[in-house]
Amino acid sequence: EYSICLLDPWLYETVCESGGFLPLTEAIGSKPEYAQDDYSVRLCDTPFGQYFTGASALPEETLLCFRRQGTLDTMLNRKHAEKTYQNAMELFRAVMAFDQ
């Protein structure tokens, strides 16, 4: 299971249509001006993506977004799933808050 996603737009659209992503306002508290939509940003438009040269190895249209927590994971091993999800949320927030 994964929470932070770097996706091609066609795959992003498929998951987004099924309600698979957390809105940016819920994930980080606001929607950045450079947001692609309510759920994603292009990695290359973020200060993080612009600062770290390794991000330029990914296609320019790569979208960064955060998945909703899966219900199956929380049912099977709730404590571990919650901890893993919260750790991923902290990392996503740090990436989105990154400033040069």
Side-chain angles (χ1 to χ4, degrees):
E1 188 64 27
Y2 51 88
S3 298
I4 299 172
C5 301
L6 295 169
L7 301 172
D8 186 87
W10 73 266
L11 181 55
Y12 166 80
E13 287 298 326
T14 301
V15 177
C16 193
E17 287 174 7
S18 66
F21 298 116
L22 195 63
L24 292 168
T25 54
E26 287 183 47
I28 60 173
S30 64
K31 180 179 166 184
E33 290 181 19
Y34 54 83
Q36 185 77 11
D37 58 21
D38 289 339
Y39 305 94
S40 68
V41 296
R42 287 187 332 155
L43 180 62
C44 69
D45 292 338
T46 66
F48 181 92
Q50 293 168 1
Y51 182 80
F52 291 101
T53 57
S56 66
L58 295 170
E60 188 174 318
E61 65 272 5
T62 300
L63 297 174
L64 172 64
C65 47
F66 197 81
R67 293 262 309 164
R68 290 188 181 277
Q69 188 168 18
T71 55
L72 184 58
D73 285 344
T74 56
M75 286 175 30
L76 297 176
N77 190 349
R78 186 174 186 89
K79 284 185 182 181
H80 177 71
E82 280 292 327
K83 178 78 171 152
T84 300
Y85 191 76
Q86 290 307 315
N87 288 343
M89 179 69 76
E90 287 179 31
L91 178 59
F92 184 74
R93 288 176 176 158
V95 167
M96 294 300 293
F98 179 83
D99 190 16
Q100 298 176 16

